[in-house]
Amino acid sequence: PPRPPPASSRAWVRRLGTAAAVLQLGTAFAAARALRSSEVRQRLVAMDLRGMRLADTAFLTLGVACLNAYMQVRCAAPTTPCLPGGGRAALRAASAGGAALSAALAHVALDLDDARLAAGDKAYGARLAALGVYRATEAVARVGLLAVFAGVVGPWLFAVVGAHAAAIVLLLYLRPAPNRPTAAPRPWAKMVARAPLARRCSVPLPRATDACLLAACLAWPPSFFVSDATDRAGVFWWRARMHGRRSPACVAPPAALVPFWAFTLLTAVETAVMLGVLHWTAPLWAAPYVVAATWAQLAWGVAAAVWLSTEVAAAADGATADAAAVDAAVDAVALDDADTDAGSG
């Protein structure tokens, strides 16, 4: 019989993309394809792809990861009927791990500066690597803790999730506007518009802006910290009429949607409450998962400390460079004045 024609490269790409999507690695695959282009127009499309993958990560990928991790925990209970064998446990674990990696890549991709990487900026590469490790450990820690908590206490998880979302909305609402007249409006104004209901009555309604997506990353479980990477209208910086990049991982107070210390304190309180309940009420079969969730929180804390240290070092280097530029400008002015005095004398 005649041999079938060999598969084209596009067919292999589609097959590889399908396999990556099954393992929750669609973000990594799409980013690898998009970043191969060097044209300006396609770079803009690639940035749009990063924004779309962030939405997919926030509302789908991490939710599927939580569900897979929850099923993994519940199947360990002796009272839960689960199908034995077939490699289902390994597939669920691989899917949850792939989702954590995809979430980390989706967040890191928005901070990726191709020009600095191409120039061989080692300090920037170290900061990006630290951010990637921080995002990956953040995903594993948050997803794992929520899954173990849901597997042990059941529907009480929704109380923690609802309290977290309400606290984030309250922080966004209470965040004051900047004092500078030329500064952007406060984040709440980018996310909500008042629709007239009667002559003297209006109701607040959410606006479909990129700022709302970033707020959802803060409030939607498992919830990641992000900063305001949008312009005055709530549009991502690469589509906005503005100059310069805006980092979603910036912890500086003017750039944050909610203060980093407030989000960290809220997350720490939630983590302490959930771990305390688990250590107090978890049955014997759940003990290994509780221990793993605890170690994941510790790893996340270490990764956060390393990442923040690189951010502080970068800020210090920037301040030193600015001071050196000011000193050089002052010296140049002093030399010009001395030459002028010498010429007049």
Side-chain angles (χ1 to χ4, degrees), residues 92-113:
R92 286 193 295 265
S95 179
L101 178 60
S102 293
L105 289 175
H107 283 272
V108 172
L110 292 177
D111 281 288
L112 185 62
D113 190 347

Side-chain angles (χ1 to χ4, degrees), residues 70-301:
Y70 167 75
M71 289 189 297
Q72 184 79 2
V73 174
R74 285 304 304 169
C75 284
T79 58
T80 303
C82 291
L83 295 176
R88 295 179 181 86
L91 183 60
R92 286 193 295 265
S95 179
L101 178 60
S102 293
L105 289 175
H107 283 272
V108 172
L110 292 177
D111 281 288
L112 185 62
D113 190 347
D114 303 312
R116 297 183 66 177
L117 283 181
D121 191 342
K122 295 183 179 179
Y124 175 73
R127 289 175 56 195
L128 201 64
L131 176 61
V133 174
Y134 165 73
R135 290 301 191 189
T137 53
E138 183 180 25
V140 172
R142 293 293 292 175
V143 169
L145 182 57
L146 290 175
V148 176
F149 191 76
V152 173
V153 303
W156 286 103
L157 170 71
F158 294 104
V160 177
V161 171
H164 176 87
I168 291 297
V169 172
L170 183 63
L171 287 173
L172 290 171
Y173 179 75
L174 295 179
R175 184 158 179 77
N179 295 326
R180 303 186 307 275
T182 58
R186 68 192 187 109
W188 186 260
K190 301 179 183 181
M191 305 170 193
V192 176
R194 302 197 68 87
L197 188 62
R199 177 176 295 182
R200 295 185 178 181
C201 181
S202 61
V203 293
L205 295 176
R207 300 169 56 193
T209 61
D210 297 324
C212 287
L213 170 60
L214 295 175
C217 291
L218 288 169
W220 194 262
S223 70
F224 281 23
F225 174 79
V226 290
S227 294
D228 190 4
T230 61
D231 67 345
R232 299 177 64 90
V235 180
F236 275 133
W237 63 266
W238 61 85
R239 284 288 183 184
R241 294 180 179 179
M242 56 182 291
H243 300 284
R245 300 174 63 92
R246 302 288 297 271
S247 172
C250 181
V251 297
L257 288 170
V258 298
F260 181 71
W261 66 265
F263 183 83
T264 304
L265 179 62
L266 175 63
T267 305
V269 171
E270 294 171 359
T271 301
V273 169
M274 287 190 284
L275 286 178
V277 172
L278 287 175
H279 282 280
W280 185 263
T281 63
L284 185 60
W285 60 264
Y289 295 100
V290 175
V291 173
T294 304
W295 280 106
Q297 305 303 315
L298 295 176
W300 180 24

Side-chain angles (χ1 to χ4, degrees), residues 19-47:
V22 169
L23 295 176
Q24 300 294 320
L25 291 173
T27 299
F29 182 79
R33 288 197 65 195
L35 293 178
R36 293 181 60 186
S37 174
S38 58
E39 290 79 7
V40 176
R41 176 66 181 175
Q42 294 190 8
R43 285 292 186 187
L44 183 62
V45 175
M47 289 302 301

